[in-house]
Amino acid sequence: MQIAVVGGGINGLCSAWQLALAGHQVTLFERDQLMQATSAASSKLLHGGLRYLEQGEFRLVREALQERRWWLKKAPQLTRRLPILYPLYQHSQRARWQLKIGLWLYDSFAGKKGIGRHRWLTAAQTLRCSPQLKADGLLGAYLFFDGQMDDQKLGLWMAEQCRKAGVNIVEHSPVLKIQPDGELQLTSGKLKFASIINVAGPWSSALLQQSGLMAAPLDLVRGSHLLLPAISRYGHMLEVPGERRIVFALPYQQQCLLGTTEVRQQLDEPVHCSPAERDYLLDVYAHYFTPAATPEQLLGSFAGVRPLLAGSEDASRASREYQFSWQGKILTVSGGKWTTARALGQQLAAEVNRQL
């Protein structure tokens, strides 16, 4: 079957790859260049999502932990295992026993595909790992492991797997409209396909709307990150003071990657780190590390828009799950997270085969 995939982010690439492996003739259309938007503006983590356990997203966490190992194994030149500290202070919002249960579940869900079991470090051991952490009130830290990647290069590696499987990738080719009968309109004309996969991330609903079709609402959330001078070879998972949110401070390319924020965004708004987000992240940094970082020390910043499933008033509690919906021959993908892109593609290919 001839199938069109609209969207050259990581979910689009993995979907195209799995469809090609299933024997379909696949053409992928990307309006700009591959891996240039949301998929290249992540926190650079291949992870199960420890904090999603609090929201009861056990299926998603289990799947992501299995997929984490696959990425690490298949692309070792672009990924690595990353030790992460979760420091606990006298003022921390989560008790040590709560974290212990969460990390036990995290290791258990990974099973034989785990990359290292968690353990408790004393305050002295924690400070040896990360000397710039503030010592006052420090009880210790849990050490656990996740994966880290160069998201853009890893996505382009996946694009190469697509090409090897026979996917025809067409960049700089915006799709103007799609129709339930399988018609796809480009600036150069119209094409007909047995099925159209609308996996354009934050723009998937907009594409349906401009095609005159019903579109389920997406919760568009901007995540901003700062780049600061390096502080440690360990990552840090940090509670935002006075909130349940988590911010990461991670070693990345000889720098410290600090993020992320969660701010609701409109498609017509510029996607960049606002001064308020910058100050928010620097305040978290100053709460945990000494000396504090100043705006003058910033080495850079970046931001991306995540297309999350709608339904949560609190953006930080919006689900990272994904779902499929059909309109005639159009299959629209909503939601999803970087780590589970291959699993999403596998389920999508199975869904298309059932439908066709």
Side-chain angles (χ1 to χ4, degrees):
M1 294 290 187
Q2 291 192 334
I3 297 178
V5 174
V6 182
I10 191 58
N11 284 333
L13 288 167
C14 285
S15 297
W17 184 47
Q18 291 298 319
L19 287 166
L21 292 178
H24 299 289
Q25 293 178 294
V26 182
T27 302
L28 183 147
F29 298 94
E30 164 55 38
R31 63 177 189 163
D32 293 315
Q33 287 180 283
L34 299 176
M35 296 297 300
Q36 290 297 309
T38 299
S39 296
S42 75
S43 295
K44 321 301 182 188
L45 285 173
L46 292 166
H47 65 140
L50 179 61
R51 71 186 181 96
Y52 305 147
L53 291 174
E54 286 186 322
Q55 297 162 214
E57 298 200 64
F58 300 131
R59 191 215 68 82
L60 177 66
V61 173
R62 183 182 287 108
E63 179 179 83
L65 288 170
Q66 304 298 307
E67 292 300 294
R68 175 188 69 179
R69 178 62 178 267
W70 186 88
W71 289 108
L72 291 169
K73 182 178 179 181
K74 294 297 183 180
Q77 73 280 14
L78 298 173
T79 64
R80 68 179 185 124
R81 187 179 80 145
L82 177 67
I84 300 177
L85 299 170
Y86 192 123
L88 272 176
Y89 286 81
Q90 292 174 355
H91 54 73
S92 293
Q93 300 213 18
R94 294 170 178 85
R96 179 176 169 180
W97 66 266
Q98 290 176 302
L99 286 175
K100 176 67 178 178
I101 292 173
L103 286 165
W104 177 82
L105 284 172
Y106 207 60
D107 291 343
S108 299
F109 285 171
K112 293 181 179 179
K113 294 187 178 180
I115 57 174
R117 301 191 69 82
H118 76 278
R119 63 180 183 270
W120 174 255
L121 303 181
T122 65
Q125 291 171 323
T126 302
L127 292 172
R128 282 199 292 272
C129 294
S130 184
Q132 287 184 234
L133 273 174
K134 290 184 177 179
D136 188 27
L138 178 64
L139 304 176
Y142 275 110
L143 172 66
F144 68 101
F145 299 89
D146 261 323
Q148 191 174 47
M149 61 175 167
D150 183 321
D151 50 9
Q152 187 175 48
K153 289 183 178 179
L154 189 57
L156 294 177
W157 173 86
M158 177 51 68
E160 186 58 30
Q161 310 314 305
C162 287
R163 293 187 178 97
K164 290 177 181 178
V167 177
N168 178 28
I169 296 177
V170 185
E171 296 181 273
H172 305 289
S173 185
V175 174
L176 304 180
K177 291 183 180 180
I178 52 178
Q179 295 301 324
D181 63 357
E183 184 180 275
L184 180 148
Q185 183 177 338
L186 305 168
T187 53
S188 58
K190 298 177 180 180
L191 300 171
K192 204 69 174 289
F193 293 90
S195 186
I196 298 173
I197 311 303
N198 174 20
V199 60
W203 297 273
S204 59
S205 288
L207 177 57
L208 292 174
Q209 290 170 359
Q210 70 191 40
S211 302
L213 301 174
M214 292 290 293
L218 286 174
D219 197 356
L220 301 182
V221 177
R222 183 175 72 245
S224 294
H225 301 78
L226 305 180
L227 295 171
L228 294 164
I231 54 174
S232 172
R233 68 182 184 88
Y234 289 81
H236 303 78
M237 189 173 181
L238 308 169
E239 294 179 0
V240 177
E243 300 181 33
R244 299 287 290 182
R245 287 198 69 249
I246 293 294
V247 163
F248 288 99
L250 308 169
Y252 184 69
Q253 297 183 349
Q254 288 75 56
Q255 298 173 330
C256 173
L257 188 158
L258 182 66
T260 182
T261 58
E262 288 169 315
V263 179
R264 284 193 163 86
Q265 170 93 18
Q266 299 297 319
L267 276 182
D268 57 356
E269 294 176 333
V271 182
H272 61 74
C273 180
S274 68
E277 290 173 287
R278 178 202 63 196
D279 294 344
Y280 174 87
L281 291 172
L282 289 177
D283 285 346
V284 175
Y285 185 97
H287 185 82
Y288 286 98
F289 299 106
T290 184
T294 64
E296 292 71 30
Q297 291 177 289
L298 283 181
L299 304 175
S301 65
F302 62 91
V305 179
R306 307 184 196 96
L308 306 180
L309 300 181
S312 176
E313 292 185 7
D314 183 354
S316 68
R317 298 188 66 83
S319 176
R320 267 57 175 179
E321 273 283 9
Y322 52 85
Q323 64 184 25
F324 306 141
S325 58
W326 286 97
Q327 293 185 68
K329 296 181 179 180
I330 299 171
L331 175 58
T332 296
V333 179
S334 303
K337 64 193 297 285
W338 217 110
T339 309
T340 57
R342 185 186 73 114
L344 181 154
Q346 289 175 325
Q347 293 190 37
L348 182 143
E351 173 70 17
V352 169
N353 286 337
R354 282 193 296 270
Q355 187 76 3
L356 293 178

